[in-house]
Amino acid sequence: MVVPTADPPVVLGDTVVIALRRLPVSLDPTDELDPWGQRVVDDLLFEGLTRRVDGSPWGAPALAERCLVEHEGRSVACQLRPGARFHDDQPVTVADLLYSINLWIGPRGANLRQRYGLDAIKSVEEGPPAGASGDGWVRISFAHADPLVLERLAALKIVPRARHPGPRFAQQPIGSGPMRLLAQSETQMVFVRSEAIPGRAQRLELRAQIDGAASLTALRRGEIHLLPELAPTHVPRELGKPGMAARFVAFLLSPPRYDLVLYNLREGPQAGPRLRGALDQAVPHSEIAALHGEPGLAIVAPVDLDAPSPIDLVAIAEDRILEAGLGPFTPPNQAPDRETEAANRLAADLVLTELGWIDQRGQRRRGTTALRLPLSWDGSAGLATNTARALRAAWKQIGVAAPSVTAGWAYILSLLRVGKFSLALARLAGASDMDLSPWFHSRGAHNLTGIADSELDAALDAYRHANSRAERDAAKRAVAARLAALHPVSVLHAPVAVLLASRALTGLEFIDDLPRLDSLGLGAAPPVLLHASGD
């Protein structure tokens, strides 16, 4: 389907082309978005009242002309930027602000609030704050003070009240961002810039290209400029071919998405840290990586500490693979390390025995009590089913029974919230700079594991009050170290990818380990890497 438009046809020379395995399913900012849908929404189509920036207070005005934080973050007053318009040339109004913010308030906004850490948002009303004047003001109230309130508001995108949600809004979105959707089909999405900006592409195309070899061929021919997910089968062989280093740059990316086992720390045998550690040791990481079709980072806490890092294509061409910066793609790391996993199982066996859980004919028992830890998950086919099967088989090898408890996710979540579970499968996904307080602070709104640790609380609080990038990164390291020591979760898989870009591409920077889309352009200069945590 092609969106009707009077614009001239797309010319390849002024269009940055990105090849993806699959296109975003939805571009409605209130839907549950995949990572590329989120990037398109954040970078191209929509604006929030604020945008993320790299430095305290971590948020700056965007669609708002100015924002005033009141009562230590218990409320924020923002004034709409004069002349702001949607892509259909309709003005952005206070009514649009009120409508968009109210989508996040009340029962219907529960999923949105949880996804973006905006659980404390309470109400919004029209009008200026005390001592201010002028039109276009809204005041947003929160249940408690929040030093990151401006950063959090960036997730709340403003949509036109008259057009949203509408039967086709997810496929034909109308926002106020720097680009609008020009045309789309099953295999492409083309975006055009609202106004010319020197050094930046006037058009951007997302092209669905499932075949990894075909994507590489198109990249070499100059038909596409960015290949964000090089097929693992092509690493490192294709990167070392003649001429690659002269024409392309490559980066190792570790997007902040984590498949987890959650442990209930309130009651049951798994409430003990040593038993959780034994279960973690027996996780079959190589088998789970094979299920994902990609290697994973060897990490023990769901904290993104790894910025995108350049890969040395010259070193690969010269067969200096260990110096190339390929991380888990470095041979022999690509092959499943069965010997290490067997050694880990033996270590887990020893811990269980020391804890008094004796292996009796393949079943761990302590006295008359069997070690039986039900695994809760949503029963969905494919990856979830295969992951649960792999975990249960691995734990069975150390004598731990983990029968499945399956139901719809809403019901499973209700059990997790009241602590009625032993183990559970979950996925945590968000930004590289993600405040983990809702999930791991003793008073967190989504503290499903029931963890309560003063040292961890202090590290999480330090993150929330960090005033600089150095302070924030130090707090993240402290959070990661404490989570690794306490084991409230086991990280089953943390994805890693190789991005390949043409040297004709300019303005390449990363947000949440994906390229920032609105800054890209085409030119003769090689790209410059700028690691950005905000929008």
Side-chain angles (χ1 to χ4, degrees), residues 94-95 98 124-128 135-139:
V94 169
L98 296 173
V124 60
E125 59 184 2
E126 182 179 359
D135 298 327
W137 285 96
V138 293
R139 299 194 310 278

Side-chain angles (χ1 to χ4, degrees), residues 81 176-180 192-198 200-202:
R81 187 177 72 231
S176 61
M179 285 189 167
R180 62 181 176 84
V192 63
R193 194 172 294 278
S194 300
E195 58 181 282
I197 299 178
R200 301 194 179 187
Q202 300 310 299

Side-chain angles (χ1 to χ4, degrees), residues 49-127:
L49 289 169
T50 65
R51 59 183 175 84
R52 292 159 57 195
V53 295
D54 193 24
S56 181
W58 309 101
L63 194 55
E65 183 176 36
R66 56 176 172 158
C67 288
L68 304 176
V69 178
E70 305 174 302
H71 312 298
E72 299 179 331
R74 287 184 177 87
S75 64
V76 177
C78 292
Q79 186 177 30
L80 179 63
R81 187 177 72 231
R85 307 188 80 82
F86 289 114
H87 296 146
D88 60 359
D89 205 36
Q90 294 300 306
V92 182
T93 67
V94 169
D96 296 313
L97 303 186
L98 296 173
Y99 169 80
S100 300
I101 297 168
N102 271 312
L103 291 173
W104 294 63
I105 297 171
R108 65 178 176 175
N111 289 337
L112 278 171
R113 294 196 301 272
Q114 176 181 344
R115 198 179 311 145
Y116 295 98
L118 270 164
D119 301 276
I121 190 169
K122 246 187 0 177
S123 63
V124 60
E125 59 184 2
E126 182 179 359

Side-chain angles (χ1 to χ4, degrees), residues 401-424:
S404 287
V405 177
T406 59
W409 175 247
Y411 180 71
I412 292 293
L413 185 58
S414 70
L415 296 180
L416 302 186
R417 289 192 183 284
V418 296
K420 300 301 182 183
F421 75 102
S422 297
L423 319 173

Side-chain angles (χ1 to χ4, degrees), residues 232-253:
T233 55
H234 296 144
V235 182
R237 177 173 49 86
E238 295 292 336
L239 297 176
K241 287 192 171 179
M244 291 294 290
R247 297 181 58 201
F248 303 105
V249 291
F251 296 92
L252 188 69
L253 308 180

Side-chain angles (χ1 to χ4, degrees), residues 71-75 117 119-122 141-147 149 152 443 445 464:
H71 312 298
E72 299 179 331
R74 287 184 177 87
S75 64
D119 301 276
I121 190 169
K122 246 187 0 177
S141 300
F142 298 85
H144 51 73
D146 187 349
V149 65
R152 297 197 202 282
R443 298 187 302 276
R464 288 163 54 83

